[in-house]
Amino acid sequence: MTTRAKLTVYSALATALASLCMMPLLTTRSWLTHALLVIVVLAAVGAGLRRSPLYRWTVPVGQLLVLLTLMLLGFAGAGGVLPGPSAMRVLGQVLAAGVDDIQQYAIPAPPTAGLRLILVSAVGLIAIAVDTVAVTYRRSALAGLPLLALYSVGNGLAGEHGSWIWFAVASAGYLLLLFAEGQDRVSRWGRVFYGGARDSAESGRVSPGGRQVGVLALAAALLLPVVLPHWDAGLLRSGGSSGKGSGKGLTTSLDPLVSLEAAIVKPTDAELLTYSMDSDLAAETYLRTGSLDQFDGTNWKLGSTAVNDLPVSLPNPEGLHKSDFPRIDGDFQISDGLRASWLPMPYPATTVQLPNRSDWKLDPLTRTVLPANDKAIRGLRYQVSALNVRPSATELRLVGTAPQDIREHYTALPTDLPPEVAARAKDLTAGASNDFDRATALVKWFTGPDFTYDTTVNGGTGSNAISVFLRDRRGFCVHFASTMAAMARTLKIPARVAVGFTPGDSKGGNVYSVTGRMYHAWPELYFANYGWLRFEPTPSRGVPARYADTATAPTTAPTQQATAAPLTASAAPAPTVSTDCTPKQRQLGECGPRSKAADRTAEKSWLLSGQVLGTLAAVLGLIALLLVPMFWRAAVRRRRLGAGGRRGPGGGGPAELTDAQVLAAWDELIDSAWDLGIPPDESRTPRSTARRITERAKLDADSAAATGRLALATERVLYAPPGQLTAEPLAADVRTARRGMWATANRAGRTRALLLPASSAQLWWRISDAVREARTAVSVGVGRAAERVLAPGRRILSRSKRSTPES
């Protein structure tokens, strides 16, 4: 392998190893695979461009264009061969969303498209910078600057998730890069700096002093942080107040809806937590992790920017003015399957007992208990006491209007909300005279036969996602919850979206198990005197609340008894005859309709999307472009050897070769040696060139003799009197000499000669000459055409001047 090839490989490896320090930034690692593929593609593009007769500055420019194309294909859904302006606009929107996500989330953040775009493109830019400095301009030492920038940003953002291991890995990649360049320099320095010429040339070892400097620098970098002051604030975080009990700024590392969508689309049976609850209400008690109170048209999110220290007894629930409801006590144990979550609790919790309260904070507005660090939830055991708020339907129909501040905050809607959301909500609740009947009318519509629970549709909770959901009427709990909450707000009913888990499966002895299939989202609506109450609009999921368990038409007058009829049959999946379907599976919709949805997914899974086809087309186009030199070289070889090996008439004997045929055979010998690392030297005679090739390639006797005969034939053409032609079939000599050179070349040299032959540079030269000639021809043609057009006018002007008498 040549020195430049080694530098290319080691620069790509150094970038890949340095990028590992960014692994803790997101909750998943799939983006890293994409980043590594981008590094490999950019290294291959750089290697190919450096073999072409281009200026060095064009290499990073070409790599930047390839990186942009990869980002368009990967994040803008550009399925065509050449992405257009629309793809650029989409990429800009994804990038802008990623910048917003940086401000919103802490570490580890959810793997949103914007954040993945920023990480992958950043790694790609660093890969281009390292490749340019270390390989294109041969300044490997300076390549440490972009590598250090990548490590500093990644490790600085990771904070407590960072580790000295990432620095050691990144440093190892940088030292390998320095070693590759130092090996080449020492081999060329010879005995001046290290031993004999033979030792330095063959071993290419770095001097002991160089090794000592590298080891000492690495050790100092590892030990200095131990004695230096610690910097608590991250690169993009601001320190909060440290006063006990005071509000503190908090950037949550969890986007509940993003995590929820990922868990629902790919459900697992892994146990997330277990709990014991000695109550007949356990089978219908939801475990709420939090609620999202702000809707900006793109996402539902937690609007609070300040949290308090978590007290033992939680403050009174917002809007709840009664306390004579039965209590629910539970003992909870988090398993290893739940690694990132807000604290699951029944709502509204009154007390929470935790082993380390300093690891948790409370958002008093939504009663969401958030972890102060990602280790807080792991293996946690805690106890919760909560109220079971159970108003009757009659009581909810008689409640008054919500306070003004509640209405203003929880009925706010974005300006880009599609008008059909409010129109549909108004039509559905036209016969209702109170907020409770309006809410139950929405629930009845969503759980009716018009909607289908389907996890194969695209996620999202923004205005566009709501519009698509109302049009197609297919989706999962995130769509139902966010859409009902938005529709309730259009009716001036305070609403927000809650996230958490449906009731767990009973394990016997009042112990329940919650698995990955129980992730859920539902709307919470505010009613005066009772605060926030949950509703269940998702068909075949969850358990309806007893106060909302009604299918009767709204009434315009209060009744003495709450209407309490079960949901209609259309709201639940049809029973299945399979004996393998348990009641819990039927409740979760995993029988019948779900299996059909799975079948539809399986039928569509083999289809290639436009983005995949576009990516494949781009990859195939790149491969075809890289193979052009090999195919062109093979075609030239066939033409030359065919011209130098023709037989006489009837095939009885060799025919006399023309000068052009002899020179073609000689050119093939020169190009074959060039491909194997022996560049041509036009200052040498054919005989001197043959001797040089024989010595450099260490040819055997037969190959050396064939090379000599080709040289003599060429000299006869160049120097002998005209008319002296050769009759030997020189194609056989070319093949013999070429076999001899290939036999002594190493595997890397043969591979390079086959895939990227050096002599293919002549193709670029010919293309450049053709372009130059075409430009010259066009210029001449334009000049002649202009002359023909202007000539009549000039003649007329000349005649007019001659006919005009002199004054």
Side-chain angles (χ1 to χ4, degrees):
M1 184 183 293
T2 62
T3 300
R4 178 166 286 177
K6 289 182 181 179
L7 290 176
T8 301
V9 172
Y10 285 134
S11 64
L13 179 62
T15 305
L17 293 177
S19 64
L20 295 179
C21 68
M22 305 178 75
M23 288 175 58
L25 299 185
L26 299 185
T27 56
T28 61
R29 307 289 184 264
S30 59
W31 70 271
L32 187 61
T33 303
H34 302 156
L36 297 179
L37 291 176
V38 167
I39 293 174
V40 172
V41 171
L42 294 176
V45 171
L49 292 176
R50 278 187 290 269
R51 295 186 65 88
S52 62
L54 298 173
Y55 293 107
R56 287 192 294 183
W57 61 266
T58 61
V59 176
V61 173
Q63 291 174 311
L64 287 173
L65 293 177
V66 171
L67 176 61
L68 177 60
T69 303
L70 293 176
M71 296 302 99
L72 288 171
L73 294 173
F75 294 94
V81 177
L82 293 176
S86 60
M88 291 294 295
R89 287 194 295 270
V90 173
L91 188 67
Q93 294 172 358
V94 176
L95 180 61
V99 174
D100 293 338
D101 292 341
I102 290 177
Q103 304 298 327
Q104 181 178 356
Y105 303 125
I107 307 302
T112 63
L115 291 179
R116 288 186 285 112
L117 169 62
I118 291 175
L119 290 179
V120 174
S121 59
V123 172
L125 291 174
I126 295 298
I128 294 174
V130 173
D131 185 83
T132 301
V133 174
V135 188
T136 304
Y137 289 95
R138 296 293 187 94
R139 296 291 186 270
S140 296
L142 295 179
L145 295 177
L147 291 174
L148 178 61
L150 180 63
Y151 167 77
S152 300
V153 173
N155 201 59
L157 292 177
E160 63 181 12
H161 303 278
S163 172
W164 66 269
I165 296 178
W166 305 127
F167 178 79
V169 171
S171 301
Y174 180 53
L175 291 178
L176 285 174
L177 181 60
L178 292 179
F179 178 81
E181 186 184 44
Q183 188 180 38
D184 174 64
R185 292 190 177 186
V186 171
S187 65
R188 288 186 280 110
W189 287 343
R191 67 175 67 246
V192 175
F193 287 96
Y194 186 87
R198 181 175 180 272
D199 291 337
S200 62
E202 293 181 359
S203 64
R205 292 178 292 177
V206 181
S207 64
R211 288 197 297 268
Q212 293 172 1
V213 170
V215 172
L216 289 176
L218 182 59
L222 290 173
L223 295 177
L224 280 178
V226 178
V227 298
L228 290 178
H230 180 63
W231 185 18
D232 291 328
L235 291 179
L236 298 181
R237 304 178 192 171
S238 60
S241 172
S242 60
K244 185 175 180 180
S246 62
K248 299 180 182 180
L250 181 72
T251 302
T252 175
S253 64
L254 176 67
D255 184 335
L257 291 182
V258 172
S259 303
L260 191 68
E261 290 176 4
I264 291 175
V265 173
K266 296 181 179 179
T268 67
D269 292 320
E271 188 175 74
L272 305 180
L273 66 119
T274 59
Y275 62 94
S276 60
M277 190 175 292
D278 189 9
S279 172
D280 59 348
L281 304 174
E284 58 185 74
T285 300
Y286 281 42
L287 299 183
R288 175 184 179 275
T289 55
S291 64
L292 311 174
D293 59 310
Q294 189 176 88
F295 182 43
D296 59 5
T298 303
N299 293 301
W300 286 86
K301 56 187 178 181
L302 184 65
S304 301
T305 58
V307 295
N308 299 332
D309 291 335
L310 179 64
V312 176
S313 297
L314 302 183
N316 292 330
E318 186 177 34
L320 184 60
H321 296 160
K322 295 184 178 182
S323 59
D324 55 346
F325 294 106
R327 289 185 176 272
I328 301 175
D329 296 322
D331 189 349
F332 297 82
Q333 176 66 57
I334 304 296
S335 66
D336 293 336
L338 188 62
R339 296 182 178 272
S341 174
W342 298 340
L343 193 66
M345 299 184 301
Y347 183 85
T350 56
T351 62
V352 181
Q353 297 180 13
L354 294 164
N356 191 354
R357 310 191 69 81
S358 62
D359 289 341
W360 295 89
K361 304 297 177 183
L362 175 67
D363 171 29
L365 186 64
T366 61
R367 299 179 72 84
T368 301
V369 179
L370 304 98
N373 58 75
D374 294 323
K375 298 179 181 179
I377 195 71
R378 298 177 185 175
L380 178 68
R381 183 170 183 176
Y382 58 101
Q383 293 77 38
V384 178
S385 180
L387 297 176
N388 179 36
V389 181
R390 300 174 60 182
S392 66
T394 300
E395 291 172 331
L396 293 178
R397 288 190 177 103
L398 296 175
V399 298
T401 305
Q404 181 66 25
D405 58 335
I406 296 293
R407 293 200 307 271
E408 290 179 355
H409 181 76
Y410 292 100
T411 60
L413 288 169
T415 57
D416 63 345
L417 186 70
E420 62 264 23
V421 178
R424 174 62 66 178
K426 184 177 181 180
D427 291 342
L428 292 172
T429 60
S433 60
N434 55 78
D435 287 347
F436 175 74
D437 285 339
R438 295 186 185 97
T440 54
L442 294 178
V443 170
K444 184 178 179 180
W445 183 59
F446 282 118
T447 55
D450 293 338
F451 284 86
T452 303
Y453 186 88
D454 187 358
T455 60
T456 63
V457 302
N458 294 329
T461 60
S463 299
N464 292 335
I466 291 176
S467 179
V468 172
F469 173 67
L470 291 178
R471 181 194 67 198
D472 300 339
R473 300 187 180 182
R474 307 182 70 88
F476 45 92
C477 62
V478 170
H479 301 93
F480 287 93
S482 59
T483 304
M484 179 174 170
M487 295 176 75
R489 288 194 173 192
T490 65
L491 300 173
K492 301 305 178 182
I493 304 175
R496 61 191 187 188
V497 175
V499 292
F501 303 95
T502 56
D505 288 329
S506 176
K507 300 177 67 174
N510 296 323
V511 177
Y512 298 84
S513 172
V514 175
T515 67
R517 294 185 180 274
M518 298 173 187
Y519 279 102
H520 196 50
W522 61 92
E524 290 181 336
L525 275 58
Y526 183 91
F527 290 87
N529 299 329
Y530 297 97
W532 293 99
L533 301 176
R534 72 171 176 88
F535 287 80
E536 186 52 84
T538 306
S540 74
R541 282 299 183 275
V543 181
R546 295 189 181 186
Y547 50 80
D549 189 11
T550 176
T552 59
T555 179
T556 58
T559 60
Q560 298 299 321
Q561 184 177 358
T563 56
L567 285 174
T568 60
S570 61
T576 175
V577 297
S578 172
T579 58
D580 297 332
C581 193
T582 64
K584 185 69 175 181
Q585 289 175 320
R586 283 197 295 271
Q587 181 195 49
L588 295 178
E590 295 172 356
C591 304
R594 185 172 177 84
S595 61
K596 293 178 182 178
D599 292 339
R600 288 193 300 270
T601 304
E603 292 173 0
K604 297 179 182 179
S605 60
W606 63 272
L607 294 175
L608 294 178
S609 64
Q611 179 178 347
V612 174
L613 291 175
T615 304
L616 289 177
V619 172
L620 292 177
L622 179 62
I623 294 175
L625 183 64
L626 294 176
L627 293 179
V628 166
M630 181 180 70
F631 290 128
W632 177 83
R633 185 71 183 84
V636 171
R637 184 183 306 112
R638 285 195 299 271
R639 186 180 70 253
R640 287 171 173 173
L641 296 183
R646 295 181 182 140
R647 295 286 175 178
E656 291 183 343
L657 300 178
T658 63
D659 293 350
Q661 293 170 342
V662 174
L663 295 179
W666 177 251
D667 289 340
E668 179 57 32
L669 175 68
I670 298 298
D671 288 350
S672 298
W674 189 3
D675 294 338
L676 291 169
I678 307 175
D681 187 353
E682 296 181 355
S683 64
R684 293 176 178 268
T685 63
R687 191 173 305 183
S688 175
T689 300
R691 184 167 57 251
R692 174 172 173 261
I693 293 175
T694 301
E695 294 174 354
R696 292 279 299 272
K698 301 178 181 179
L699 299 179
D700 56 19
D702 293 339
S703 300
T707 303
R709 288 193 294 272
L710 288 168
L712 291 175
T714 303
E715 287 184 343
R716 187 179 298 115
V717 170
L718 296 177
Y719 308 126
Q724 296 187 15
L725 302 179
T726 182
E728 292 83 0
L730 296 181
D733 289 337
V734 174
R735 293 189 180 95
T736 301
R738 191 168 180 271
R739 280 196 298 269
M741 287 186 286
W742 274 69
T744 58
N746 57 27
R747 181 179 301 177
R750 292 194 299 267
T751 302
R752 185 173 58 253
L754 177 63
L755 298 178
L756 292 173
S759 61
S760 61
Q762 298 173 94
L763 174 61
W764 179 257
W765 297 343
R766 294 184 182 182
I767 294 175
S768 301
D769 293 341
V771 171
R772 190 181 306 109
E773 292 175 0
R775 291 174 58 184
T776 303
V778 170
S779 300
V780 173
V782 170
R784 291 177 179 176
E787 182 65 26
R788 287 195 296 268
V789 172
L790 297 177
R794 290 174 179 173
R795 287 195 296 269
I796 294 174
L797 182 61
S798 178
R799 292 195 194 100
S800 62
K801 288 182 178 180
R802 288 198 301 268
S803 61
T804 301
E806 295 182 359
S807 57

